[in-house]
């Protein structure tokens, strides 16, 4: 199959915009749209209270001179105030410009310059100081007066309280004029791609992109969103379009949304917030599974955990075979083993994720099929999806009734997926952005026959399920002319407890090799499990026992490909790939070019 589509389920008035979703929630003004964490636990924020606070801040922006269409930047970690400010900007008729809180001075300068933002919401004193330093030193911004407002509650003006106070003289009629100025086709947000090379490009995400995706996802996934007491916890950066899209989906559904600042706080907050569904990146699944295995090992129950894991995976695989028409579902032995461990072990795993999880959605990067089977078999169904900044995040997703593990699902309503002759995935639909801001050359290259060119490679099965097979620009061509897609090899190696990241190399070389970085927590757990004295990363990189374990992971990866595509050698690095090292984007994608550049000496040694 070359093309698959899903019909639009919900249409909207072309004159409406994303703010209408909040007005709709006023039909139940006492309903908790958000929950905010404080010293005494979680406090509900009702639909009425949220609208009042949004309106007050929007009036403050209007009093300060904001006109419909003006851009306003937001630089903050994920927190309730991010969401509050986002909707206030929209109510004032503005365009939100997210900036990752981890951004460098040069990235901040470029985004402020390119977007034309004259106002910045900054999380705290540190972020305010960083923005001020950028403004003072920048040649690009030297003639621009930029107003910076703090988002924390230290009482230092200008802050959210002083902004709201400044807008008290703005009438409701003036607020409504600003709020209703934008239509579905107007830009709601300039979201800058994190980029692995060059300056980020600003993606023009429209009100229609956000609102139509939200309305249709709610209708498409009612099992997650249209349930009593539906609630979720957001920890992904709201500067990323995936988190922004999900928060608009939650608003449309009336699902209660909480915020947690970092992945490190996530497990603790899950226990108190108790979400019913959760957006998770693959690394979280890997961490939870590895942590459960470590606890079992330290308790002397490795054998039981291994058997329970195998039972969960087998049960899920047999479910998947039945869904594909290739089997009759779990047999008697599978059902018996699954029922036993569903009393003894799986509930503990579910409790680690809050105890009320009905479904999880995995996005942002590929999820290992084995992890998906493990969690589904343990009673935590995983729905993997796919999308990009340019598609307002989701353009395909598995659903509770239509799931194929290993795929990223079927097109969301109002979306068509096409696979070009060379295997590139093309997308047309409600989430596809308007274009790159002030970049006609990039726009000309990005579209073909009305479809957005994703740069990803994939295939469609007869039922319209999409499977991602790699990325066009990441494909390697060896000296022998063999095309090698690194993704599946890297994912398989990364699944090992010891591995933080794996980077397959070999462009123009006689064979394929890999660079492997170690996961610090995984290394500590592995050493404890195998009764090996604690090793530093430098010591571990040269330790024959560690190398033997990595070789096993490489062998498993090689089983997926032909001999010509297999990894012949690898180097274990004593470095980690992080945001600070410059090897990961803010959305935690690997900067392959940066890794290859910075570890050229290690690559050269691999080829002797």
């Amino acid at each position: 199959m070359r093309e698959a589509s899903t019909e639009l389920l919900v249409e909207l008035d072309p004159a409406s915009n994303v703010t209408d979703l909040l007005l709709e929630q006023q039909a139940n003004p006492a309903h908790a749209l958000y929950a905010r964490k404080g010293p005494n636990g979680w406090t509900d924020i009702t639909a009425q209270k949220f609208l009042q606070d949004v309106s007050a801040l929007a009036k403050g922006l209007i009093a300060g001179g904001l006109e419909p269409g003006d851009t306003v930047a937001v630089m903050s970690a994920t927190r309730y105030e991010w969401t509050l400010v986002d909707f206030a900007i929209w109510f004032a008729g503005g365009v939100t410009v997210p900036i990752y809180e981890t951004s460098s001075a040069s990235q901040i300068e470029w985004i402020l310059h390119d977007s034309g933002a004259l106002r910045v919401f900054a999380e705290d004193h540190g972020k305010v100081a960083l923005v001020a330093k950028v403004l003072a030193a920048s040649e690009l911004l030297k003639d621009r007066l930029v107003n910076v407002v703090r988002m924390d509650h230290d009482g230092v003006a200008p802050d959210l309280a002083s902004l709201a106070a400044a807008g008290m003289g703005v009438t409701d009629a003036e607020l409504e004029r600003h709020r209703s100025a934008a239509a579905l086709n107007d830009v709601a947000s300039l979201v800058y791609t994190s980029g692995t090379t060059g300056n980020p490009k600003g993606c023009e995400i429209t009100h229609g992109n956000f609102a139509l995706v939200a309305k249709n996802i709610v209708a498409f996934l009612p099992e997650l969103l249209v349930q009593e007491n539906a609630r979720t916890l957001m920890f992904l950066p709201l500067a990323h379009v995936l988190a922004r899209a999900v928060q608009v989906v939650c608003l449309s559904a009336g699902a209660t949304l909480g915020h947690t600042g970092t992945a490190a706080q996530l497990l603790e907050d899950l226990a108190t917030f108790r979400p019913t569904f959760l957006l998770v990146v693959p690394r979280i699944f890997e961490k939870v599974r590895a942590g459960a295995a470590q606890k079992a090992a330290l308790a002397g129950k490795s054998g039981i955990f291994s058997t329970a894991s195998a039972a969960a995976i087998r049960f899920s695989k047999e479910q998947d075979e039945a869904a594909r028409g290739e089997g009759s579902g779990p047999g008697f032995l599978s059902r018996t083993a699954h029922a036993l461990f569903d009393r003894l072990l799986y509930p503990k795993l579910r409790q680690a994720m809050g105890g009320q999880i009905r479904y999880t959605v995995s996005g942002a990067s590929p999820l290992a099929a084995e992890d998906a089977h493990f969690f589904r078999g343990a009673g935590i169904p995983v729905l993997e999806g796919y999308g990009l900044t340019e598609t307002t995040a989701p353009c395909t997703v598995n659903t509770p009734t239509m799931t194929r593990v290993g795929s990223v699902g079927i097109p969301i309503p109002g979306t068509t997926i096409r696979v070009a002759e060379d295997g590139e995935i093309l997308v047309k639909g409600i989430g596809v952005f308007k274009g790159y801001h002030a970049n006609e050359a990039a726009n000309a290259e990005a579209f073909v026959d009305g479809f957005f060119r994703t740069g990803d490679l994939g295939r469609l099965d007869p039922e319209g399920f999409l499977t991602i097979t790699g990325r066009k620009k990441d494909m390697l061509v060896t000296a022998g002319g063999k095309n090698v897609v690194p993704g599946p090899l890297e994912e398989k190696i990364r699944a090992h407890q010891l591995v933080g990241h794996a980077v397959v190399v070999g462009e123009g070389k006689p064979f394929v090799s890999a660079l492997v970085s170690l996961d610090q927590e995984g290394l500590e757990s592995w050493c404890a499990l195998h009764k090996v004295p604690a090793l530093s990363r430098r010591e571990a990189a040269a330790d024959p026992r560690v190398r033997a374990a990595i070789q096993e992971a490489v062998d498993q990866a090689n089983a997926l490909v032909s001999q010509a595509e297999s990894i012949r050698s690898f180097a274990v690095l004593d470095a980690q790939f992080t945001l600070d090292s410059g090897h990961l984007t803010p959305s935690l994608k690997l900067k392959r070019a940066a890794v290859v550049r910075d570890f050229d000496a290690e690559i050269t040694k691999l080829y002797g």
Side-chain angles (χ1 to χ4, degrees), residues 515 573-577 581 583 593-606:
L515 301 175
L573 307 176
D574 63 4
Q576 284 187 305
F577 301 152
S581 74
H583 299 120
V595 172
V596 171
R597 178 195 67 223
D598 293 347
F599 294 93
D600 177 69
E602 287 78 2
I603 295 172
T604 299
K605 289 178 184 176
L606 289 172

Side-chain angles (χ1 to χ4, degrees), residues 293-441:
Q294 181 188 6
K295 286 182 180 178
L298 294 176
K301 297 180 180 179
S302 286
I304 295 175
F305 185 84
S306 179
T307 303
S309 295
I313 292 168
R314 182 171 63 251
F315 188 83
S316 177
K317 284 184 174 180
E318 290 175 354
Q319 286 180 313
D320 205 55
E321 289 167 359
R324 295 173 186 268
E326 300 170 356
S328 56
F332 175 76
L333 292 178
S334 284
R335 294 197 308 272
T336 301
H338 184 266
L340 173 64
F341 290 117
D342 202 36
R343 291 195 301 272
L344 298 178
L345 192 144
Y346 302 153
K348 296 178 182 177
L349 194 67
R350 296 195 288 268
Q351 200 61 42
M353 300 187 78
Q356 298 295 317
I357 290 284
R358 300 188 193 120
Y359 293 97
T360 59
V361 179
S362 179
S365 61
L367 174 69
E370 185 175 283
D371 284 333
H373 282 305
F374 170 79
F375 281 97
R376 182 168 76 161
I380 305 173
V382 181
L383 307 175
E384 190 170 6
Y386 164 73
L388 304 93
T389 300
E390 291 88 346
T391 62
T392 320
C395 59
T396 69
V397 69
N398 283 280
T399 75
T401 57
M402 298 186 68
T403 296
R404 302 287 187 275
V405 175
S407 82
V408 292
I410 61 176
I412 68 167
T415 302
T416 299
I417 300 294
R418 177 184 290 176
V419 178
E421 289 295 328
D422 63 356
E424 183 176 9
I425 300 165
L426 310 177
V427 185
K428 178 190 289 186
I430 58 174
V432 175
F433 73 145
K434 196 170 187 176
Y436 294 113
H437 176 64
N439 196 334
E440 290 306 316

Side-chain angles (χ1 to χ4, degrees), residues 127-142:
K127 299 295 186 296
V128 170
L130 177 56
V131 172
K133 184 178 179 180
V134 169
L135 294 174
S138 173
E139 285 295 315
L140 293 174
L141 304 170
K142 64 181 181 180

Side-chain angles (χ1 to χ4, degrees), residues 484 489 511-513 558-559 561-569:
V484 179
L489 291 165
F511 55 84
V512 177
S513 298
N558 285 341
V561 298
S562 68
Q563 185 175 0
E565 299 166 276
S566 65
I567 297 167
R568 309 282 183 86
S569 64

Side-chain angles (χ1 to χ4, degrees), residues 486-499:
L489 291 165
E490 293 169 347
E491 291 163 30
K492 191 67 175 178
I493 296 171
R494 198 182 63 156
H496 193 281
Q497 179 184 21
L498 280 168
V499 178

Side-chain angles (χ1 to χ4, degrees), residues 184-373:
L184 290 186
N185 196 46
D186 290 315
V187 177
S189 190
L190 277 181
V191 182
Y192 282 78
T193 57
S194 48
T196 57
T197 58
N199 285 323
K201 298 192 291 284
C203 299
E204 296 182 339
I205 310 297
T206 67
H207 284 268
N209 291 145
F210 279 124
L212 283 166
V213 166
K215 284 285 191 179
N216 281 275
I217 288 290
V218 172
F220 198 49
L221 297 174
E223 299 91 340
L224 278 72
L225 296 155
V226 190
Q227 298 291 325
E228 187 177 1
N229 298 322
R231 53 199 285 116
T232 191
L233 191 60
M234 178 59 67
F235 73 95
L236 296 179
L238 281 167
H240 193 292
V241 75
L242 175 58
R244 295 274 299 299
V246 168
Q247 83 168 3
V248 178
V249 169
C250 289
L251 173 70
S252 180
T256 304
L257 178 68
H259 300 82
T260 186
T262 66
Q265 296 174 337
L266 179 61
L267 292 181
E268 176 186 336
D269 288 343
L270 285 173
T272 56
F273 187 82
R274 306 188 76 192
T276 60
F277 67 96
L278 194 65
L279 174 65
V280 185
V281 293
R283 196 60 179 155
I284 298 298
F285 286 114
E286 294 165 7
K287 291 284 189 182
V288 170
R289 186 178 178 187
Q294 181 188 6
K295 286 182 180 178
L298 294 176
K301 297 180 180 179
S302 286
I304 295 175
F305 185 84
S306 179
T307 303
S309 295
I313 292 168
R314 182 171 63 251
F315 188 83
S316 177
K317 284 184 174 180
E318 290 175 354
Q319 286 180 313
D320 205 55
E321 289 167 359
R324 295 173 186 268
E326 300 170 356
S328 56
F332 175 76
L333 292 178
S334 284
R335 294 197 308 272
T336 301
H338 184 266
L340 173 64
F341 290 117
D342 202 36
R343 291 195 301 272
L344 298 178
L345 192 144
Y346 302 153
K348 296 178 182 177
L349 194 67
R350 296 195 288 268
Q351 200 61 42
M353 300 187 78
Q356 298 295 317
I357 290 284
R358 300 188 193 120
Y359 293 97
T360 59
V361 179
S362 179
S365 61
L367 174 69
E370 185 175 283
D371 284 333
H373 282 305

